[in-house]
Amino acid sequence: MAPSVPHSSSVPLLTSEANEKYANVNWEELGFSLIPTDYMYMSKCKQGESFSEGEIVPYGDIPISPCAGILNYGQGLFEGLKAYRTEDGRITLFRPDQNAFRMQTGADRLCMTSPSSDQFVQAVKKTVLANKKWVPPPGKGSLYIRPLLIGTGAVLGIASAPEYTFLMYVSPVGNYHTASSGLNLIVDHTYRRAHTGGTGGVKSCTNYSPVVKPLFEAKSSGFSDILFLDAATGRNIEEVSTCNIFITKGNIVSTPPTSGTILPGITRKSISELARDIGYQVQERDVSVEELLEAEEVFCTGTAMVVKAVETVTFHDKKIKYRTGEEALSTKLHLMLTNIQMGIVEDKKSWMVEINGCDE
Amino acid sequence: MAPSVPHSSSVPLLTSEANEKYANVNWEELGFSLIPTDYMYMSKCKQGESFSEGEIVPYGDIPISPCAGILNYGQGLFEGLKAYRTEDGRITLFRPDQNAFRMQTGADRLCMTSPSSDQFVQAVKKTVLANKKWVPPPGKGSLYIRPLLIGTGAVLGIASAPEYTFLMYVSPVGNYHTASSGLNLIVDHTYRRAHTGGTGGVKSCTNYSPVVKPLFEAKSSGFSDILFLDAATGRNIEEVSTCNIFITKGNIVSTPPTSGTILPGITRKSISELARDIGYQVQERDVSVEELLEAEEVFCTGTAMVVKAVETVTFHDKKIKYRTGEEALSTKLHLMLTNIQMGIVEDKKSWMVEINGCDE
């Protein structure tokens, strides 16, 4: 039985019978907001020790010290990945080892102990299996998985917390952006996201709350999202609030390099590989605003949104329109990637990891 | 009796007899680490609403959604201030309205609702009164007060949390740094603390976990703390990991300006005023590394450390020694400020706020 009660979100939890294939969710109307599920994963580790095997527990509030590193000093990382239900009934993950690796890099930057890659991937599998009925039917969405690594030990002066918690919860999701055609971005002139020597290159929680205000302002002005320039010169494009950015011109696809101020996106990396596969030259290099304005096509990549065309970019008083739709490279790349993720075409790259049972 | 052994938050709250004057703490050996006390303050507020009066509750773990804004996106601010026990038996606070104001500025930057100044100050008073016996005897230390404002509502996509928690806990503390003479700082060449258009000018949790690694590395190399340069040029000094910095030459005292990348310290502001009072010219302006190396005296200010002389600064292969001790301006300013804080001299500036009762 799945006792699916304890939860804190304001969204009422949908209960369901045991052994049923699907939770009682309106799969046609999935967006990107929390639908609490039955279970989550928890594991704790003292500073200087290693994580041992964690456990699946009912989803719900966790007790935390008011003096915890995450509450006082922002010592926390998150990840985001998805589980898919294929037409032939399998449940699969997309490159979970890459998320495990990124969490390790981030943990080193924030002085935390991280789970091993194997522990990470096993935890993802267990969490998805425990919440199997929340994986949407094929084509209706995916199960978004949110691993957290947070400093939960009490610490008064600034230092690494004496205890870390590795936690994972899930939510069925549909599209991240509701815009059907393409994104309308605005280039920000006031705020910057990250600087060299900071934490912009890891998935630290500290990169995100500073973005909430500019993102809110952009959305209030009718834009879908915000494009940040580099903090050092203000001349090059870096990253959209929650995704990487690419521009195309002719046969060349360009994207800012992962040199510490942008997130090394797993979708970014995968899309680069797919673009090369179909004959494009992919350049990871500084991309100036001028080049952006002269591009033929612009698109964004991220776990939540996969690949999304940019329809317009607004820079000062200029509003540039880009190619979108059937002819766009982003449309082709989106299809190539989602076909792999959904099991519609053969996964020749061994990107997909199948979940068959708890202990595989 | 008060069995007040430092305990982790998972340990049940230790109770004590009513009316006793002091908790059972070894006041001679106070450092700057958490000694949990009896009570804390809690108040919650939904997005778009205002904080109402909070309540004093037993100190201990709080329940929080795994999907909370603070855990996932670092949506959190903290403050730090102190309560003092004077020789004549009063308990006082140092400029709590300034902390209230700074929390409001930070809440605006991180898109949170903040308590009003009056709510903030009343909450500080209530929290200190509830923990009155934990305020150290005169001259033995102070009661450090840690207000937090954190996004506790559940939010999956990046946005402001739908609920905020204003929380306050305390701990008796002694000296922040154990070095008796002065600090030995190293100028960092790899890491940067903050950038223009970021959150360096507010007391956001996001400024602190990125500093843990460079601070750990500096301490491992025998330094007391680390001095960060500006992210834009790497030529000017900005801030030590948890305090502001001043340099002196002749009659001129200089400190970096509060233009968004350094914390507008309350001790910084107060010390500037005291230095002016005794005839120094205080300049808030960019201070280059070259000027730092040629200074006669360098000192740091912060709530935790008050005023602390810098004995040496290491920059590449140079190690510069500065004036410290009885003749140093920092020694004089430290005495001037602590005399006001401890009620030893008259508070002509109306900086001290006396706590007489819950509802004053």
Side-chain angles (χ1 to χ4, degrees), chain A residues 88-153:
Chain A
D88 59 359
R90 294 172 298 128
I91 293 180
T92 60
L93 301 168
F94 180 67
R95 311 186 78 174
D97 58 309
Q98 298 289 314
N99 298 89
F101 173 73
R102 193 165 61 185
M103 181 170 274
Q104 286 163 17
T105 311
D108 179 67
R109 179 63 183 86
L110 295 192
C111 287
M112 290 191 282
T113 303
S114 68
S116 71
S117 287
D118 187 57
Q119 284 174 325
F120 183 98
V121 175
Q122 287 300 325
V124 173
K125 288 179 177 180
K126 281 184 183 174
T127 311
V128 173
L129 275 173
N131 295 289
K132 196 171 176 179
K133 68 181 176 189
W134 299 91
V135 184
K140 302 300 181 189
S142 54
L143 188 71
Y144 183 77
I145 304 150
R146 171 59 61 87
L148 295 180
L149 179 63
I150 53 181
T152 42

Side-chain angles (χ1 to χ4, degrees), chain B residues 239-261:
Chain B
E239 191 167 327
V240 179
S241 63
T242 56
C243 51
N244 294 117
I245 189 163
F246 289 76
I247 70 166
T248 76
K249 190 155 195 179
N251 196 46
I252 296 173
V253 178
S254 305
T255 192
T258 52
S259 50
T261 55

